[in-house]
Amino acid sequence: MDSILVKGGAELHGEIPIAGAKNACLTLMPATLLADEPLTLTNVPRLSDIATMTQLLQSLGVEVTSLQDGRVVAMSSQSADNPVADYNIVRKMRASNLVLGPLLARHGHAVVSMPGGCAIGARPMDLHIHGLEAMGAKIELKDGYLHAEVPGGLKGAQIELRFASVGATENILMAATLAKGTTVIKNAAREPEIIDLATCLRAMGAQIEGEASGTITIQGVDQLHGATHPVIADRIELGTYMLAPVIAGGEVELIGGRIELVNAFCEKLDQAGVSITETKKGIKVARKNGRIKAVDIKTEVFPGFPTDLQAQMMALLCTADGTSVLEETIFENRFMHAPELMRMGAQISVQGGTATVTGVERLKGAPVMATDLRASVSLILAGLAAEGETVVSRVYHLDRGYEHVVRKFNGIGANIERIKN
Ligand code: UD1
């Protein structure tokens, strides 16, 4: 398994282009199953999760063509006749469960393996299931597979989510576009990726309102048509690279970044003593004079502080002046990076969903192990500021979510190398 060697200490200056959002793309791609005409996505990130979704859609009979070196993906579901999403592909990535709603809408039945994905908690599917059941589906779990059918076709329903789940909102929203009648999803997620999905579905002919408000109203239509849609910028990649000059020193411009995608995160950086300015091309970030100040963080659904930036923020706070308290409210097991950061000299104590971080002057390089996607990049960030060398192993997690990570960091002056094993 490959590892990444980080030599700490270099100041970072320059530009980083922000890619299209992985999590938006992983729900936009299954939306192709809702129409026979082609759906073409532009600004697609080149990631192993996108390759996994491509493989899954191909196994369902979708024709997928990758163009412009993977930046554009053209899909046609005209001969997609297989309603079974196999465990061997689904287990690689939790977002595979996003084919359930579209398959059910397309075929009236679907068999989808329960997913795998990052080991950051139980991540059940009850909200997806309840939503689709409210629309008339009968769903049973047999041999690790969800068997769903809706003999009379999906019907519009009033659905109130117990929790504003991103995936459940996406599955229900996609299914509802082709249901008979009106569906209202209350307490719906309003992450930018949901807005992007609604925008794309509307371009395909769907009738959707209120996606930014938490209550989404969908008027079902008989069929959707083809469209071309540009994927929004990846706010998690943006936030991650914004932290690089803050941790290591210097000034970096994130091309294509927009503050409104990361407002809650920017507020915390501002409190910590970071300068953030909007430019014509994106966002410029630099550490203000002096040491970063400790800040408290609580992860929440959008527009709150994103759980997907919690690990990276912890890496920053390890060298802040004072004690920070980080509360994780979305996933129950998302502090696996803490013991790895402690190997680098960080002072962290974890109790349940709360981590208390007391900043030290400087971290020290060490061999550490990546445990999930966002944890992996937090260890690279920590390594940038650490004294000496950090070797991050199990970096296959990174390939799932960060395009050309070594090239992007080195492009701003970092000293990082991928070691092939
Ligand atoms: C998506 C993102 C992921 C991000 C997460 C929260 C994708 C591909 N992934 O994941 O990067 O960290 O949103 O912003 O977009 N839950 C239930 N029942 C359900 C569904 C979820 O209890 O039926 C719980 C989960 O266990 C978890 C919480 O809700 O504790 C959040 O899950 P959800 O919002 O569904 O996240 P994902 O869509 O899996």
Side-chain angles (χ1 to χ4, degrees):
M1 264 182 262
D2 292 2
S3 50
I4 286 189
L5 168 67
V6 186
K7 291 182 184 155
E11 270 211 4
L12 306 177
H13 291 273
E15 295 182 349
I16 295 188
I18 299 304
K22 168 180 87 76
N23 286 350
C25 218
L26 290 176
T27 185
L28 292 164
M29 290 176 74
T32 193
L33 288 161
L34 298 167
D36 278 346
E37 287 178 12
L39 173 64
T40 300
L41 299 176
T42 61
N43 197 32
V44 173
R46 287 159 291 185
L47 302 168
S48 66
D49 270 7
I50 302 301
T52 303
M53 184 55 85
T54 299
Q55 202 190 352
L56 176 60
L57 291 175
Q58 284 171 332
S59 77
L60 301 173
V62 179
E63 256 179 56
V64 186
T65 314
S66 173
L67 303 162
Q68 296 183 21
D69 196 21
R71 280 261 164 266
V72 174
V73 172
M75 296 163 290
S76 166
S77 296
Q78 203 176 13
S79 42
D81 53 3
N82 177 20
V84 183
D86 193 272
Y87 173 68
N88 283 323
I89 308 175
V90 173
R91 70 184 165 80
K92 295 185 189 167
M93 179 178 73
R94 177 174 165 87
S96 304
N97 65 12
L98 295 170
V99 298
L100 177 61
L103 279 178
L104 199 53
R106 181 177 185 85
H107 300 293
H109 59 280
V111 180
V112 176
S113 168
M114 284 289 280
C118 279
I120 54 177
R123 303 182 92 177
M125 281 194 65
D126 57 316
L127 298 165
H128 303 239
I129 294 168
H130 290 158
L132 295 171
E133 282 178 342
M135 298 169 77
K138 296 204 170 12
I139 304 181
E140 280 191 284
L141 179 65
K142 269 193 278 182
D143 308 324
Y145 281 78
L146 291 172
H147 292 250
E149 59 176 339
V150 60
L154 289 162
K155 291 183 190 64
Q158 302 274 327
I159 298 160
E160 176 147 10
L161 297 178
R162 154 179 72 74
F163 173 83
S165 153
V166 173
T169 302
E170 291 166 344
N171 248 329
I172 299 165
L173 170 59
M174 287 190 278
T177 59
L178 292 178
K180 282 199 188 72
T182 306
T183 300
V184 179
I185 314 173
K186 289 194 181 147
N187 195 27
R190 10 181 206 150
E191 269 67 5
E193 294 74 27
I194 304 276
I195 314 292
D196 204 35
L197 174 62
T199 307
C200 175
L201 292 170
R202 256 197 303 270
M204 295 168 74
Q207 291 190 16
I208 301 168
E209 276 174 27
E211 66 272 15
S213 72
T215 299
I216 311 180
T217 305
I218 308 116
Q219 186 68 52
V221 295
D222 287 343
Q223 59 175 26
L224 297 184
H225 51 72
T228 296
H229 176 82
V231 179
I232 50 157
D234 194 316
R235 65 197 166 98
I236 306 303
E237 192 199 31
L238 171 64
T240 301
Y241 287 122
M242 283 174 75
L243 286 174
V246 181
I247 283 185
E251 183 179 69
V252 171
E253 189 169 4
L254 295 312
I255 309 301
R258 282 156 38 210
I259 287 181
E260 81 241 30
L261 292 174
V262 278
N263 250 326
F265 173 71
C266 287
E267 271 169 32
K268 290 295 172 185
L269 287 186
D270 183 55
Q271 285 172 24
V274 177
S275 142
I276 301 170
T277 38
E278 251 169 328
T279 64
K280 276 194 188 133
K281 292 193 285 184
I283 305 176
K284 205 173 255 186
V285 181
R287 194 198 307 183
K288 288 184 191 153
N289 287 336
R291 202 168 152 197
I292 286 297
K293 293 192 269 298
V295 286
D296 294 340
I297 304 291
K298 183 179 180 185
T299 63
E300 280 166 313
V301 295
F302 193 84
F305 191 97
T307 175
D308 285 352
L309 285 172
Q310 178 260 109
Q312 301 88 315
M313 193 70 181
M314 186 187 281
L316 170 69
L317 295 173
C318 285
T319 53
D321 188 9
T323 297
S324 310
V325 176
L326 286 83
E327 208 185 322
E328 173 58 58
T329 73
I330 309 292
F331 292 109
E332 69 269 32
N333 185 20
R334 208 172 195 184
F335 285 133
M336 287 174 301
H337 40 285
E340 301 301 311
L341 291 167
M342 286 159 77
R343 292 176 53 75
M344 300 175 72
Q347 281 186 21
I348 306 169
S349 99
V350 175
Q351 266 171 333
T354 304
T356 306
V357 181
T358 301
V360 296
E361 285 279 342
R362 191 131 196 226
L363 294 177
K364 292 194 175 69
V368 287
M369 196 177 284
T371 46
D372 68 54
L373 170 54
R374 307 302 172 188
S376 326
V377 85
S378 77
L379 297 172
I380 296 186
L381 287 171
L384 292 175
E387 195 181 315
E389 295 187 354
T390 298
V391 178
V392 184
S393 56
R394 295 209 181 156
V395 294
Y396 57 88
H397 292 290
L398 269 179
D399 300 330
R400 291 188 38 216
Y402 288 91
E403 173 184 289
H404 302 317
V405 67
V406 170
R407 201 195 294 171
K408 286 191 178 182
F409 273 121
N410 285 345
I412 53 171
N415 198 336
I416 296 186
E417 196 183 322
R418 187 165 182 133
I419 301 167
K420 300 255 175 218
N421 286 326

